[in-house]
Amino acid sequence: MSDSTPTSDPTSTGDPPLRPLGGYSEGTGQPMTPEQFESARSTGISPYPVRVLQIETSSICNFRCNSCPLSMESYDRPEQHMDAEAFGKILDAFPKLEKLELQGVGEVFLNPSVLDLIRTATERGTAVHTFSNASKIDRAMARGIIESGLKLINFSMDGADDETFKRLRKGGTLRRYKRCVQNLLQARAAAGSKTPHVGAMSVLSKNNMHQVPMMLAIAEELGLDSITFTKISTSQNPGELDSIGLTEDDRNQLNSMPPYNGKLEVNVSITPMNFEERMDCYWPKHMAYVTVQGDVTPCCNYYDGRTLSLGNVFEQSGEEIWNGPAYREFRKKLWNGDLPDNCKTC
């Protein structure tokens, strides 16, 4: 079960692949020259437009998972849903968007406007992906998701038995999870649709790593298309999570598991980045994160604009933010090895 990447993208838009800054020049498929790379590193200006965006469409959630800041009593961020007008402003600010991921601190499907938001983006030709805790997908919602044009959805599954599931995803049950996933898969089959791609996302820690074979079995039983295993991020609640984070011995144990040869597409990402990989992060090259309040941050690790905001899309244009002074300063530090604290633990 070693780290892997998908052999094919089930949601490909047919556009040129997104390449690292040091690898290929935007749109040409040709390697950037050392001079071009050094220029970008010295100025902090990205030669790419924003091509992938993560938007937090809600900061409200009905779960209190231990890996989420909402489980912390001290976390006092205002609760709100994003409306259609605000969503449209964000899309207008980044006109070269190719892929949109709806995700953040909140549960996407608690927002009563979520299907309208997905349709708005897909009608502009943007591939929309999302994540969900699989608690609000009844049959009517499932049909709406199929009709919305959503390309991909991953449902979070951190336990293979009800006790573990309830403990790690407080507010949910494995039985309800299965029912909601089945609602969507049945609606997709009834519509004769190939989309959305439906997968599971499992965040591994000492609490559930022994259940990997059982989670694979559940994903197969449900008829999912894929399952992704990733490691828990302890930076969001270090006092409580440090003791359950994966160690090198844990990763070696997971990597020694027999190869999986079933029908599922299995993706694994459990190895921490090294210094060079963190320094060469793809996020500030062509990706950004936008909170429900409109704050633009470097990535999903900066899920709260009060920690770091590089601009607000409701107050500035996307162009002013993307290569503005704050973003340029962030990139220069990162690309020259002065990693911010949130990046050091990614």
Side-chain angles (χ1 to χ4, degrees):
M1 186 179 162
S2 56
D3 283 27
S4 62
T5 55
T7 55
S8 63
D9 180 3
T11 62
S12 173
T13 60
D15 295 313
L18 304 180
R19 300 294 188 181
L21 178 62
Y24 290 82
S25 179
E26 161 74 13
T28 67
Q30 298 299 315
M32 291 182 66
T33 65
E35 291 78 13
Q36 287 174 316
F37 179 75
E38 287 305 317
S39 174
R41 190 162 65 171
S42 64
T43 63
I45 295 175
S46 172
Y48 304 101
V50 177
R51 301 173 69 183
V52 181
L53 200 63
Q54 285 191 357
I55 299 180
E56 179 187 52
T57 53
S58 180
S59 60
I60 304 171
C61 192
N62 53 339
F63 282 18
R64 289 296 181 268
C65 307
N66 66 348
S67 59
C68 177
L70 287 178
S71 67
M72 301 167 59
E73 291 184 8
S74 60
Y75 193 69
D76 61 348
R77 189 153 165 247
E79 294 185 339
Q80 86 181 71
H81 294 311
M82 181 175 289
D83 61 27
E85 181 181 1
F87 187 76
K89 286 181 180 179
I90 297 171
L91 298 186
D92 289 341
F94 302 103
K96 294 190 177 181
L97 204 59
E98 297 176 9
K99 186 173 79 170
L100 175 64
E101 297 178 352
L102 304 184
Q103 76 151 8
V105 170
E107 163 55 32
V108 169
F109 291 99
L110 288 180
N111 187 328
S113 301
V114 63
L115 296 180
D116 290 333
L117 304 186
I118 295 171
R119 278 190 290 267
T120 296
T122 56
E123 287 171 0
R124 296 186 183 211
T126 304
V128 183
H129 298 195
T130 194
F131 299 81
S132 172
N133 62 24
S135 64
K136 294 295 181 180
I137 314 297
D138 58 19
R139 292 177 179 177
M141 176 62 77
R143 289 192 296 270
I145 291 171
I146 303 301
E147 294 166 359
S148 72
L150 184 71
K151 292 290 184 182
L152 179 147
I153 184 168
N154 276 316
F155 291 114
S156 299
M157 178 175 61
D158 294 349
D161 60 64
D162 209 43
E163 179 185 354
T164 305
F165 195 98
K166 287 179 178 179
R167 179 158 47 92
L168 300 185
R169 305 201 62 79
K170 296 173 184 175
T173 67
L174 185 57
R175 181 179 179 182
R176 181 169 57 174
Y177 176 92
K178 290 180 177 180
R179 183 173 67 248
C180 287
V181 172
Q182 288 169 336
N183 285 342
L184 183 58
L185 290 170
Q186 289 168 2
R188 186 179 69 174
S193 177
K194 294 183 179 180
T195 56
H197 178 99
V198 183
M201 174 73 73
S202 298
V203 179
L204 298 182
S205 68
K206 290 182 182 296
N207 288 332
N208 64 355
M209 56 177 282
H210 62 286
Q211 294 193 337
V212 165
M214 290 180 284
M215 287 191 275
L216 283 166
I218 289 173
E220 277 197 344
E221 171 198 340
L222 290 172
L224 290 171
D225 301 312
S226 66
I227 186 168
T228 298
F229 294 103
T230 186
K231 65 185 186 326
I232 194 168
S233 173
T234 61
S235 62
Q236 297 181 14
N237 192 358
E240 183 174 331
L241 300 180
D242 282 343
S243 63
I244 64 170
L246 297 179
T247 63
E248 185 175 356
D249 286 343
D250 294 330
R251 291 191 292 273
N252 288 338
Q253 182 178 337
L254 288 166
N255 290 333
S256 67
M257 291 176 58
Y260 172 77
N261 295 312
K263 298 180 294 183
L264 293 167
E265 174 190 302
V266 178
N267 307 309
V268 182
S269 179
I270 59 174
T271 303
M273 289 182 174
N274 60 35
F275 179 83
E276 288 75 18
E277 289 169 333
R278 290 171 178 146
M279 182 176 164
D280 192 42
C281 178
Y282 53 83
W283 270 89
K285 299 168 188 175
H286 55 237
M287 292 182 67
Y289 182 89
V290 184
T291 72
V292 71
Q293 287 87 17
D295 291 309
V296 179
T297 78
C299 74
C300 55
N301 278 334
Y302 293 91
Y303 51 83
D304 191 328
R306 296 174 298 182
T307 302
L308 176 65
S309 177
L310 303 176
N312 190 287
V313 76
F314 301 146
E315 301 169 1
Q316 302 162 269
S317 70
E319 186 176 354
E320 288 173 329
I321 297 170
W322 184 237
N323 276 317
Y327 237 123
R328 291 172 63 178
E329 185 62 23
F330 179 86
R331 291 192 188 100
K332 284 193 289 185
K333 286 184 176 181
L334 180 67
W335 292 345
N336 285 282
D338 183 10
L339 271 61
D341 288 342
N342 281 26
C343 301
K344 292 176 182 176
T345 57
C346 184

Short mmCIF file of all heavy atoms in Angstrom, two decimals, residues 121-145:
data_model
loop_
_atom_site.label_atom_id
_atom_site.label_comp_id
_atom_site.label_asym_id
_atom_site.label_seq_id
_atom_site.Cartn_x
_atom_site.Cartn_y
_atom_site.Cartn_z
N ALA A 121 -21.37 26.71 -11.89
CA ALA A 121 -19.98 26.47 -12.31
C ALA A 121 -19.91 25.56 -13.52
O ALA A 121 -19.14 25.81 -14.46
CB ALA A 121 -19.18 25.89 -11.15
N THR A 122 -20.71 24.49 -13.55
CA THR A 122 -20.64 23.56 -14.67
C THR A 122 -21.13 24.22 -15.96
O THR A 122 -20.61 23.92 -17.05
CB THR A 122 -21.47 22.30 -14.40
OG1 THR A 122 -22.83 22.66 -14.09
CG2 THR A 122 -20.90 21.52 -13.22
N GLU A 123 -22.08 25.12 -15.86
CA GLU A 123 -22.56 25.84 -17.05
C GLU A 123 -21.49 26.75 -17.64
O GLU A 123 -21.56 27.12 -18.81
CB GLU A 123 -23.81 26.64 -16.70
CG GLU A 123 -25.05 25.75 -16.50
CD GLU A 123 -26.24 26.51 -15.94
OE1 GLU A 123 -26.10 27.73 -15.69
OE2 GLU A 123 -27.30 25.88 -15.74
N ARG A 124 -20.50 27.09 -16.83
CA ARG A 124 -19.37 27.89 -17.32
C ARG A 124 -18.25 27.01 -17.87
O ARG A 124 -17.20 27.51 -18.27
CB ARG A 124 -18.81 28.76 -16.20
CG ARG A 124 -19.77 29.81 -15.66
CD ARG A 124 -19.07 30.71 -14.68
NE ARG A 124 -19.96 31.69 -14.08
CZ ARG A 124 -19.59 32.91 -13.69
NH1 ARG A 124 -18.32 33.29 -13.85
NH2 ARG A 124 -20.45 33.74 -13.14
N GLY A 125 -18.46 25.70 -17.86
CA GLY A 125 -17.46 24.78 -18.38
C GLY A 125 -16.40 24.37 -17.37
O GLY A 125 -15.35 23.83 -17.74
N THR A 126 -16.68 24.59 -16.09
CA THR A 126 -15.73 24.24 -15.04
C THR A 126 -16.09 22.88 -14.44
O THR A 126 -17.25 22.63 -14.11
CB THR A 126 -15.74 25.30 -13.92
OG1 THR A 126 -15.46 26.57 -14.48
CG2 THR A 126 -14.71 24.98 -12.85
N ALA A 127 -15.11 21.99 -14.32
CA ALA A 127 -15.33 20.69 -13.70
C ALA A 127 -15.43 20.88 -12.19
O ALA A 127 -14.54 21.46 -11.58
CB ALA A 127 -14.18 19.74 -14.03
N VAL A 128 -16.50 20.39 -11.60
CA VAL A 128 -16.74 20.59 -10.17
C VAL A 128 -16.57 19.27 -9.41
O VAL A 128 -17.19 18.26 -9.76
CB VAL A 128 -18.14 21.17 -9.90
CG1 VAL A 128 -18.33 21.43 -8.40
CG2 VAL A 128 -18.35 22.46 -10.69
N HIS A 129 -15.73 19.33 -8.37
CA HIS A 129 -15.52 18.20 -7.47
C HIS A 129 -15.97 18.63 -6.07
O HIS A 129 -15.98 19.83 -5.76
CB HIS A 129 -14.04 17.82 -7.39
CG HIS A 129 -13.45 17.37 -8.68
ND1 HIS A 129 -12.23 16.71 -8.74
CD2 HIS A 129 -13.87 17.48 -9.97
CE1 HIS A 129 -11.94 16.43 -10.00
NE2 HIS A 129 -12.91 16.89 -10.76
N THR A 130 -16.28 17.67 -5.22
CA THR A 130 -16.61 18.04 -3.84
C THR A 130 -16.37 16.87 -2.90
O THR A 130 -16.10 15.74 -3.32
CB THR A 130 -18.06 18.55 -3.71
OG1 THR A 130 -18.22 19.19 -2.44
CG2 THR A 130 -19.06 17.41 -3.81
N PHE A 131 -16.44 17.17 -1.61
CA PHE A 131 -16.31 16.19 -0.53
C PHE A 131 -17.54 16.29 0.35
O PHE A 131 -18.13 17.36 0.47
CB PHE A 131 -15.06 16.48 0.31
CG PHE A 131 -13.77 16.40 -0.45
CD1 PHE A 131 -13.33 17.46 -1.23
CD2 PHE A 131 -12.98 15.26 -0.38
CE1 PHE A 131 -12.14 17.40 -1.94
CE2 PHE A 131 -11.78 15.18 -1.09
CZ PHE A 131 -11.37 16.25 -1.87
N SER A 132 -17.90 15.20 1.00
CA SER A 132 -19.08 15.22 1.86
C SER A 132 -18.95 14.19 2.97
O SER A 132 -18.25 13.18 2.81
CB SER A 132 -20.34 14.93 1.04
OG SER A 132 -21.48 14.77 1.88
N ASN A 133 -19.64 14.44 4.08
CA ASN A 133 -19.65 13.45 5.16
C ASN A 133 -20.76 12.41 4.96
O ASN A 133 -20.94 11.54 5.81
CB ASN A 133 -19.76 14.12 6.53
CG ASN A 133 -21.06 14.91 6.73
OD1 ASN A 133 -22.08 14.67 6.09
ND2 ASN A 133 -21.01 15.87 7.64
N ALA A 134 -21.48 12.50 3.86
CA ALA A 134 -22.52 11.51 3.51
C ALA A 134 -23.58 11.40 4.58
O ALA A 134 -23.92 10.30 5.04
CB ALA A 134 -21.89 10.15 3.23
N SER A 135 -24.13 12.53 4.97
CA SER A 135 -25.20 12.51 5.97
C SER A 135 -26.50 13.11 5.44
O SER A 135 -27.55 12.92 6.04
CB SER A 135 -24.78 13.29 7.22
OG SER A 135 -24.59 14.66 6.92
N LYS A 136 -26.43 13.82 4.30
CA LYS A 136 -27.60 14.56 3.81
C LYS A 136 -28.01 14.18 2.39
O LYS A 136 -28.73 14.92 1.73
CB LYS A 136 -27.33 16.07 3.88
CG LYS A 136 -27.18 16.61 5.30
CD LYS A 136 -28.47 16.49 6.07
CE LYS A 136 -28.37 17.04 7.47
NZ LYS A 136 -29.65 16.91 8.22
N ILE A 137 -27.55 13.02 1.93
CA ILE A 137 -27.85 12.62 0.55
C ILE A 137 -29.07 11.70 0.54
O ILE A 137 -28.96 10.46 0.49
CB ILE A 137 -26.64 11.93 -0.11
CG1 ILE A 137 -25.36 12.72 0.14
CG2 ILE A 137 -26.90 11.77 -1.62
CD1 ILE A 137 -25.36 14.11 -0.44
N ASP A 138 -30.25 12.29 0.61
CA ASP A 138 -31.46 11.47 0.45
C ASP A 138 -31.70 11.27 -1.05
O ASP A 138 -30.92 11.72 -1.89
CB ASP A 138 -32.66 12.12 1.15
CG ASP A 138 -32.97 13.53 0.64
OD1 ASP A 138 -32.52 13.88 -0.49
OD2 ASP A 138 -33.67 14.27 1.34
N ARG A 139 -32.80 10.60 -1.40
CA ARG A 139 -33.01 10.28 -2.81
C ARG A 139 -33.22 11.51 -3.68
O ARG A 139 -32.74 11.58 -4.82
CB ARG A 139 -34.20 9.32 -2.94
CG ARG A 139 -33.92 7.94 -2.35
CD ARG A 139 -35.14 7.03 -2.42
NE ARG A 139 -34.84 5.71 -1.86
CZ ARG A 139 -35.72 4.74 -1.74
NH1 ARG A 139 -36.98 4.93 -2.15
NH2 ARG A 139 -35.37 3.58 -1.22
N ALA A 140 -33.92 12.51 -3.14
CA ALA A 140 -34.15 13.74 -3.91
C ALA A 140 -32.83 14.48 -4.14
O ALA A 140 -32.57 14.97 -5.24
CB ALA A 140 -35.14 14.63 -3.17
N MET A 141 -32.00 14.56 -3.09
CA MET A 141 -30.71 15.22 -3.24
C MET A 141 -29.83 14.45 -4.22
O MET A 141 -29.12 15.03 -5.04
CB MET A 141 -30.02 15.34 -1.89
CG MET A 141 -28.61 15.93 -1.95
SD MET A 141 -28.58 17.64 -2.59
CE MET A 141 -29.15 18.54 -1.12
N ALA A 142 -29.89 13.13 -4.15
CA ALA A 142 -29.09 12.31 -5.06
C ALA A 142 -29.45 12.60 -6.52
O ALA A 142 -28.57 12.76 -7.37
CB ALA A 142 -29.29 10.83 -4.74
N ARG A 143 -30.75 12.68 -6.82
CA ARG A 143 -31.17 12.99 -8.20
C ARG A 143 -30.69 14.39 -8.59
O ARG A 143 -30.26 14.61 -9.73
CB ARG A 143 -32.70 12.90 -8.32
CG ARG A 143 -33.23 11.47 -8.25
CD ARG A 143 -34.70 11.41 -8.65
NE ARG A 143 -35.55 12.16 -7.71
CZ ARG A 143 -36.12 11.64 -6.64
NH1 ARG A 143 -35.92 10.37 -6.34
NH2 ARG A 143 -36.89 12.38 -5.86
N GLY A 144 -30.77 15.33 -7.66
CA GLY A 144 -30.31 16.68 -7.95
C GLY A 144 -28.83 16.74 -8.24
O GLY A 144 -28.38 17.50 -9.10
N ILE A 145 -28.04 15.93 -7.52
CA ILE A 145 -26.60 15.89 -7.76
C ILE A 145 -26.31 15.39 -9.17
O ILE A 145 -25.47 15.95 -9.89
CB ILE A 145 -25.91 15.00 -6.71
CG1 ILE A 145 -25.96 15.67 -5.33
CG2 ILE A 145 -24.46 14.72 -7.10
CD1 ILE A 145 -25.49 14.78 -4.20
#
